[in-house]
Amino acid sequence: MTHLGGSSKLLRAMNDAAALSHVLERGTLTRGDLRELTGLSKPTISEALRRLTEAKLVTVVGYVSAGPGPNAEVYAVNPDAAYSVALSVRDRAADAPGSPGSGLPAVSAAVTDLAGTVRGRLELAVDFTRTDPVSAVVDAVQDVCKEARIAPDPVAQVQIAVAGSYDPRTDVLHHVEVPGWGRPGLVDDLRRRLGVPVGVDNDVNLAAVAERAHGAGRDAESFTLLWLGEAGLGLAIDLGGTLLRGARGGAGEIGYMPMMLPGVTGGRGFTGRVGFQDLVGGGAVLDLAAEYGLQESTAAGTMAAAVARAADGDAAARGFVTTLAGRIAIGLSAVVAVLDPPLVVIGGEVGQAGGPVLGTAVATALAEAAPLETAIATSTLQDDAPLLGAQEAGRSAVRDSILATLRRPTS
């Protein structure tokens, strides 16, 4: 009898999880829809929905005509069942002058409900030379929850995007330049102070999550995201929807990739062995642009000005775009030779400022430099891509946790 009782509880748990999984994925469903999707009987689905409703995981949001008889109830996930908070930590000094808190690193925060709706968002300038990252994150979580008019208690996950390599073996961030974020014990301290699971990932990896969910990588079998940022470079590798992070979280640190470039000069006067960052990083973009008579305060602003002037027939601007695209193709040719991706998405502040004009120039240069053919696209995301990716990752973690809990039968 104990075995039979345990088996029935396990079946109920699995049925509840299956029903909720479909509601989470599809948005709104009727009992009939769920019967078709799960193959379960009408009484079984009715009981599962009753339990999910009592647990406040789903709710009735409307009715639809179902022919003769009463209208069918339409079920959706209860958005207030759980929340996730996403944070993006970046170097504000890289942003356009005059922006709030210019010169200081910035923390952007967004709180998302279980249905995927952003309930609140804010941006803070933080002096991490004086403020401990743990205190800054805790304050940001509390502030964004206040902005959303929700209590912090239902927050079930905090997901952080930061420019650095997170090593899950040591629970430490490496190659991160924001003060205080590389100290051992930081992530564990965040978990203790917040009292909820905390996920940390490289900002470009999370930008790729956003590209997969909402951008140029949405329909791609696999793709790589080349991040051309003001402060640095990065590469995210999406293999069928799964990110390749490497043994220590360092996959994609393409700025460190060494190159032998005899005869290549420009900007800082480098010759011979350089890193890819020295070739196409924000500083290198500014130096190269100066050679073509383009003078802007940021690399992204320079790129945007060059694109605009090139469209008006400016030969110098076209020369700058072509030369920069050739440099980008040098690094990408190595990526293509090793990974053979069907698609390369160019993102980051500089990449997006270049848009299709830069994308086309890179595709032309890559066709000559790379041993394999690959498509080139530029990101169409108009928001903070790492923050968007952190929102997706955080919400996914909350959903997975709820479903895992449902699949464990209670005593």
Side-chain angles (χ1 to χ4, degrees):
M1 293 297 294
T2 301
H3 174 73
L4 291 175
S7 297
S8 63
K9 289 177 182 177
L10 176 60
L11 285 174
R12 286 198 299 270
M14 297 301 291
N15 292 339
D16 292 355
L20 180 61
S21 178
H22 286 297
V23 175
L24 285 167
E25 181 180 353
R26 303 296 181 101
T28 56
L29 293 170
T30 64
R31 282 190 179 89
D33 295 330
L34 283 168
R35 288 201 307 272
E36 292 181 7
L37 290 168
T38 62
L40 298 174
S41 67
K42 182 177 180 179
T44 300
I45 280 296
S46 295
E47 280 299 299
L49 286 171
R50 179 187 62 78
R51 290 190 292 270
L52 291 172
T53 302
E54 289 178 352
K56 297 183 179 179
L57 291 172
V58 301
T59 185
V60 176
V61 295
Y63 300 87
V64 295
S65 175
N71 291 337
E73 294 175 328
V74 178
Y75 291 86
V77 66
N78 175 13
D80 296 313
Y83 303 94
S84 59
V85 173
L87 296 101
S88 173
V89 181
R90 63 190 185 279
D91 185 1
R92 169 57 74 183
D95 291 349
S99 56
S102 182
L104 292 175
V107 176
S108 295
V111 58
T112 306
D113 63 30
L114 190 57
T117 301
V118 177
R119 303 288 286 269
R121 179 170 171 173
L122 54 80
E123 184 166 309
L124 304 168
V126 182
D127 184 352
F128 285 111
T129 63
R130 299 183 178 182
T131 304
D132 180 68
V134 175
S135 298
V137 168
V138 171
D139 289 346
V141 171
Q142 292 176 343
D143 289 346
V144 77
C145 287
K146 184 178 180 181
E147 176 76 14
R149 297 182 179 179
I150 64 170
D153 293 345
V155 172
Q157 175 81 18
V158 173
Q159 183 70 44
I160 303 174
V162 62
S165 300
Y166 172 67
D167 186 346
R169 302 180 312 162
T170 60
D171 210 24
V172 174
L173 281 159
H174 301 284
H175 309 302
V176 58
E177 296 185 2
V178 181
W181 280 84
R183 72 169 174 83
L186 171 67
V187 180
D188 195 43
D189 288 346
L190 283 168
R191 295 190 186 104
R192 283 199 298 268
R193 284 283 302 275
L194 291 167
V196 298
V198 176
V200 180
D201 205 346
N202 172 264
D203 57 346
V204 180
N205 280 342
L206 288 171
V209 171
E211 291 289 350
R212 166 64 71 181
H214 307 291
R218 190 168 188 172
D219 298 321
E221 176 187 353
S222 299
F223 69 94
T224 59
L225 170 64
L226 175 63
W227 186 266
L228 302 176
E230 290 279 358
L233 308 179
L235 186 79
I237 306 160
D238 176 298
L239 300 175
T242 299
L243 288 172
L244 177 63
R245 292 183 170 84
R248 291 166 292 276
E253 292 290 346
I254 197 172
Y256 295 100
M257 186 167 65
M259 299 181 176
M260 294 299 295
L261 302 169
V264 175
T265 61
R268 298 173 184 177
F270 50 76
T271 59
R273 183 178 178 130
V274 297
F276 196 36
Q277 172 76 23
D278 300 313
L279 201 63
V280 297
V285 170
L286 289 172
D287 290 344
L288 179 64
E291 296 182 6
Y292 286 88
L294 297 166
Q295 299 285 347
E296 299 290 338
S297 58
T298 66
T302 299
M303 191 74 249
V307 168
R309 288 171 56 170
D312 291 335
D314 188 306
R318 287 201 302 267
F320 163 74
V321 173
T322 300
T323 302
L324 179 61
R327 291 184 177 188
I328 294 169
I330 293 172
L332 271 185
S333 63
V335 172
V336 171
V338 173
L339 297 176
D340 188 20
L343 173 68
V344 172
V345 179
I346 300 176
E349 300 93 347
V350 178
Q352 284 192 282
V357 172
L358 179 62
T360 299
V362 170
T364 300
L366 190 63
E368 300 176 359
L372 301 168
E373 183 178 350
T374 188
I376 301 292
T378 50
S379 176
T380 57
L381 298 176
Q382 299 300 315
D383 205 342
D384 182 341
L387 181 66
L388 292 177
Q391 290 171 217
E392 288 292 327
R395 184 163 58 106
S396 178
V398 170
R399 291 181 171 192
D400 290 346
S401 177
I402 291 174
L403 291 172
T405 300
L406 277 179
R407 292 188 183 104
R408 294 193 294 269
T410 57
S411 58

